[in-house]
Amino acid sequence: MPMRPEAFLDHVRERGEYPTRAEAERAARVVLALLGAHLVGTVRAELAAGLPETYALILLNPLQAAEPLSPERFVRATAAWIEGATETTALWDIGAVLSTVAAAAGDTLTREVLLQLPVGYDVLFGHPRPV
């Protein structure tokens, strides 16, 4: 059963230490749109199924990346999409959103998601791979 929208945003807000729910929502929308462009198939659909409908639709938006972004380029793209953001604040936003997504998805699905992404996304999700 998907997480309720309020609960999802509360988790993002808490993890990102945002003063308002609006800031958490802005981060969630941008990060999920970029993430969704990099996922395909049943993994993308299963991940969306665990999110509130509003955020699932953002993740499922038919936007597709021409090529997978490295984690560093993902951070830069996030910073470019959020007004006034820097790479440092974008990294914070990404961590707040993706760690919430990973918690909602569980370990097995998170591992499947990470298999579709370039090396290094594990850290962005808060699930560093053992060396």
Side-chain angles (χ1 to χ4, degrees), residues 11-36:
H11 283 283
V12 172
R13 184 177 177 189
E14 180 181 312
R15 290 170 188 222
E17 300 178 11
Y18 300 109
T20 67
R21 187 178 271 172
E23 289 181 69
E25 182 167 11
R26 178 206 70 218
R29 288 179 175 277
V30 169
V31 172
L32 289 172
L34 284 168
L35 177 64

Side-chain angles (χ1 to χ4, degrees), residues 68-83:
L69 295 177
S70 68
E72 296 80 14
R73 288 182 58 210
F74 189 88
V75 170
R76 285 195 295 271
T78 301
W81 278 31
I82 298 176
E83 184 178 338

Side-chain angles (χ1 to χ4, degrees), residues 106-126:
D107 289 340
T108 301
L109 182 55
T110 298
R111 279 192 298 274
E112 292 177 29
V113 167
L114 290 171
L115 288 174
Q116 288 194 7
L117 299 169
V119 172
Y121 274 82
D122 55 327
V123 175
L124 298 180
F125 274 84

